Amino acid sequence: PSKNLTNKTLTEVIQSIDLSFHQESYLLDLINKVRSAGISTPTARIFEKLVAEATLNRTTDEDSINFKRITSQFPTMIHFLEYFKDLFCEPVGTSKTPLISIVDLLIFIPHLKPRFYSISSSKIRSPGTVSITVGVVNESTPAGPIHGVCSHYLANLRPGDRVKAEVVSTSFKAPVLKKHPIIMIGAGTGCAPLMGFLEDRALMMKTSKNRFSECHYFFGCRNEKEVLYHD
C-alpha cells in the first residue's frame, strides 16, 4: 500500500463506494480471477458452485432467483469477503499477495449514488431552509442486520454539522390555481412533499381573500408508531 494512504483516507474512500452485493457481474469478475490464477482449493470449488447456481437458468436480463438468494446470504461485499476471505483476502499457495486488493475493489465496485429526498417544508414559510422526512432503514437478513447508509448518516447528524447536499428542481408541484381541488395520497415517508404542499396551501389561504377549492390528503401506516405527523 501507498505510504500516503492513511487509515483516515482509506475510511473516506470506503465510505464513498457502494458495498451492497447486488450485481452478478461481481461474481463473474471474481470467478475469472480465480480461474486465471489457477486456484483449485476447497473454498475455490465452493465459490465455483456458487457462481454456477447464481447464473443457472437465466433467460432474461433480470437477476436470477438463485442470485437473489445469494444476495440475501451476502447482502454486502463485506459479508461476502468475510465468508471467502481465505480465497480472496489472504495469499493462496505460493502467492505472496491476496488474489484481490483494495485497488481491485475500487475498480469494479461503483461509487455510492446520491440519495434523493423530497423537501417536506414550505417554500413560502421558509424559503431559505429545508426539511426532509426520512425513514431510518434497518433490515434483517440471514447475515445479520443491515443499516441504511444515508438514513443512518442523517440520523446521526448533530446541530451544526455540515453535509454535502444540493436542492434539485423537480416537475412534481402542487396545482397553482386556487380553483383546482387537490387529492393527495402518500404512505409512510411518501408524505414528505405533500406536507410541503399542505403548508403552502394553508399559508396562501390565510393571506388570500379568494376562496380555495377543497384539498384532501390520504395516508396509510401499518401501525400507530409509523404516523409521522400529528395535529
Side-chain angles (χ1 to χ4, degrees), residues 9-24:
T9 302
L10 184 57
T11 300
E12 291 175 349
V13 169
I14 292 176
Q15 287 177 341
S16 70
I17 59 177
D18 186 354
L19 290 171
S20 57
F21 198 78
H22 56 75
Q23 295 187 28
E24 282 188 22

Side-chain angles (χ1 to χ4, degrees), residues 12-227:
E12 291 175 349
V13 169
I14 292 176
Q15 287 177 341
S16 70
I17 59 177
D18 186 354
L19 290 171
S20 57
F21 198 78
H22 56 75
Q23 295 187 28
E24 282 188 22
S25 61
Y26 295 171
L27 290 177
L28 300 177
D29 288 339
L30 292 171
I31 195 61
N32 286 336
K33 278 187 168 291
V34 173
R35 290 168 179 167
S36 297
I39 300 174
S40 184
T41 62
T43 304
R45 289 192 288 273
I46 292 173
F47 181 56
E48 282 270 9
K49 182 179 178 181
L50 185 77
V51 175
E53 291 175 350
T55 56
L56 184 66
N57 297 329
R58 274 196 65 181
T59 57
T60 67
D61 291 334
E62 296 291 329
D63 289 338
S64 69
I65 295 176
N66 290 326
F67 179 69
K68 291 178 180 178
R69 291 197 190 106
I70 292 171
T71 56
S72 69
Q73 182 181 358
F74 308 114
T76 71
M77 184 60 73
I78 301 299
H79 292 95
F80 176 83
L81 292 177
E82 284 181 343
Y83 189 86
F84 290 103
K85 61 183 178 182
D86 59 330
L87 178 59
F88 295 109
C89 304
E90 299 174 359
V92 179
T94 59
S95 176
K96 295 182 179 180
T97 59
L99 188 60
I100 61 172
S101 65
I102 187 66
V103 174
D104 295 320
L105 288 176
L106 295 178
I107 289 174
F108 70 81
I109 293 181
H111 281 269
L112 278 173
K113 295 181 180 179
R115 269 40 171 191
F116 294 97
Y117 296 103
S118 297
I119 295 174
S120 54
S121 53
S122 166
K123 187 177 181 180
I124 298 175
R125 179 186 292 276
S126 52
T129 305
V130 298
S131 68
I132 56 177
T133 305
V134 180
V136 180
V137 178
N138 293 295
E139 295 185 4
S140 297
T141 73
I146 298 296
H147 305 302
V149 176
C150 192
S151 62
H152 273 265
Y153 165 74
L154 293 170
N156 290 322
L157 289 174
R158 295 293 178 264
D161 288 348
R162 297 176 66 88
V163 299
K164 291 182 179 181
E166 64 176 331
V167 177
V168 180
S169 61
T170 176
S171 59
F172 183 50
K173 304 179 187 298
V176 176
L177 298 179
K178 306 175 181 65
K179 65 179 181 180
H180 288 163
I182 303 176
I183 296 177
M184 299 176 290
I185 303 173
T189 55
C191 69
L194 308 182
M195 297 307 297
F197 295 168
L198 286 172
E199 192 173 9
D200 280 346
R201 188 87 164 185
L203 289 170
M204 288 190 291
M205 290 175 68
K206 286 183 178 180
T207 57
S208 175
K209 295 180 180 179
N210 298 319
R211 183 177 179 181
F212 283 73
S213 295
E214 291 186 8
C215 177
H216 299 277
Y217 170 44
F218 298 90
F219 71 97
C221 295
R222 288 170 293 189
N223 54 63
E224 189 68 22
K225 293 180 180 179
E226 293 187 357
V227 177

